[in-house]
Amino acid sequence: ANLIESRDGETGEHVKRTSMYVDLLVRAAKDYGYHREILSDHYIELLKKAAPMHDVGKIAISDKILKKPAKLSSEEFESIKSHTTAGSRIISKVLSNIESTDYLQIATDVAMSHHEHWDGNGYPQGLKGEQIPLSARIMAIADVFDALTSKRCYKEAYEPQKALKMILEGECGSFNPLLLECLIELS
């Protein structure tokens, strides 16, 4: 995951930051009493370990698209969107004989579904609400928050409070309302 992120100097720390945000958010969710049947200490550790794998599919995307300092064309955006399915496939193939099935499930869910939106308008499958794996719902918020608060080749960084406002007002897609309450508690 670090090798893939290091292809772009601006997002090289993205893996570490999103893992930290996932840890904070999942622990807040557990403290809030959200999904008690799922959020065991074991699950939380596996999710923290899997979080860096969310963008592993970007290895299949050309640098020309990843490092483009302007708006992507519709064809380029379709290419970027394919990192979700590519990542899920890569994790399944590469780690299937190395990691536990619990870890593999969380890692493939995070890679595949971290761009799904609560209202069903995300990608790649257009999952909605509880159809989206919990791990991916958590990862989605961490990923968007970091993307907003980090400088990228195509944008400047937003202040954390501005990023929070954008997320809460739905400017970046729709997210699980209970997880948004946890995010508010963390801010």
Side-chain angles (χ1 to χ4, degrees):
N2 283 331
L3 286 172
I4 292 153
E5 290 295 336
S6 71
R7 289 171 64 194
D8 180 352
E10 293 172 357
T11 58
E13 294 294 311
H14 176 67
V15 166
K16 292 176 188 168
R17 290 189 307 266
T18 55
S19 294
M20 179 188 66
Y21 297 145
V22 162
D23 185 40
L24 291 170
L25 188 56
V26 74
R27 289 184 188 285
K30 182 180 181 184
D31 291 346
Y32 193 77
Y34 184 62
H35 275 296
R36 285 189 176 119
E37 75 284 4
I38 298 174
L39 294 180
S40 66
D41 290 340
H42 178 67
Y43 181 93
I44 291 170
E45 288 307 311
L46 291 177
L47 178 54
K48 284 173 31 184
K49 183 179 173 184
M53 303 301 285
H54 75 281
D55 278 340
V56 74
K58 285 186 176 180
I59 198 165
I61 309 300
S62 79
D63 279 349
K64 179 182 166 191
I65 294 172
L66 282 179
K67 295 180 180 184
K68 185 175 179 179
K71 184 175 171 138
L72 299 176
S73 70
S74 57
E75 296 83 19
E76 291 167 330
F77 186 59
E78 288 303 314
S79 178
I80 284 284
K81 286 167 53 174
S82 73
H83 84 278
T84 56
T85 53
S88 179
R89 198 171 45 252
I90 290 166
I91 291 166
S92 292
K93 285 183 180 179
V94 173
L95 298 178
S96 65
N97 293 324
I98 300 170
E99 291 289 350
S100 71
T101 55
D102 289 343
Y103 173 80
L104 282 174
Q105 185 63 61
I106 292 170
T108 56
D109 285 347
V110 163
M112 176 70 92
S113 301
H114 71 282
H115 285 289
E116 298 288 0
H117 293 171
W118 190 250
D119 62 6
N121 289 319
Y123 64 87
Q125 297 172 299
L127 300 178
K128 182 177 186 176
E130 297 281 334
Q131 294 173 327
I132 304 165
L134 178 59
S135 57
R137 287 182 248 157
I138 294 166
M139 187 74 237
I141 294 172
D143 188 40
V144 168
F145 184 78
D146 187 66
L148 291 171
T149 57
S150 301
K151 181 180 176 4
R152 299 288 173 91
C153 62
Y154 54 87
K155 70 163 210 54
E156 292 297 318
Y158 291 105
E159 293 295 323
Q161 289 304 317
K162 169 71 173 164
L164 179 63
K165 183 176 185 235
M166 292 170 73
I167 291 169
L168 295 175
E169 292 179 355
E171 291 182 50
C172 312
S174 64
F175 301 96
N176 182 312
L178 291 174
L179 289 174
L180 290 179
E181 287 182 31
C182 294
L183 181 65
I184 291 168
E185 289 296 317
L186 289 170
S187 62

